[in-house]
Amino acid sequence: MIRPALLVPLLALGLSATVPAQTTYRWVDAQGQVHYSDRPPPPEIQELEARRFAAPPPDPTLSYTLRKLTADFPVTLYTATNCGDLCESARSLLGSRGIPYTEFPLANQADLATYRERFGVPEQVPSLSVGSAQFKGFEPGAWNRLLNDVGYPKAP
């Protein structure tokens, strides 16, 4: 028989194993305005793009501190195919600190729209977001300050 004191942690563990996915919808209305929403568009909309995003499960090999930081302040690296050495330097900086990140390549118009919502125009890659903070372009000092401010370790 399971003791009531053990039931709550076991239940929390079971609930945390399920990762909710979110669908994002993009559509253009009759006036030509582009809309993004987590709710489906009105029924009269004919052209619709829906993307389903799911948070990756936490990496069990990471320390508790890194798992907590990546949950609270996820790191996203925005890149492009023509980024070359700058993008490689950006990846190297994050890798040298052992920071888990998601790379978001700007491959199509929808990706550019997502970038512009976050950073504005003009596009400049590589760019970095750490939680709600961001920095456009690659400048190691500024990137390190962003990462340090939220508590990411300086070495793996």
Side-chain angles (χ1 to χ4, degrees), residues 55-80:
D59 183 350
T61 62
L62 296 177
S63 68
Y64 170 78
T65 302
L66 265 182
R67 285 195 313 267
K68 180 79 171 125
L69 283 167
T70 56
D72 294 344
F73 304 100
V75 175
T76 304
L77 172 63
Y78 294 82
T79 62

Side-chain angles (χ1 to χ4, degrees), residues 104-144:
F104 190 91
L106 305 179
N108 56 45
Q109 289 302 316
D111 296 339
L112 285 171
T114 300
Y115 177 92
R116 289 175 185 144
E117 269 185 34
R118 182 149 191 120
F119 292 95
V121 289
E123 297 79 22
Q124 187 175 355
V125 290
S127 291
L128 184 73
S129 70
V130 180
S132 61
Q134 65 260 349
F135 192 86
K136 190 190 295 191
F138 180 62
E139 202 285 288
W143 283 30
N144 280 314

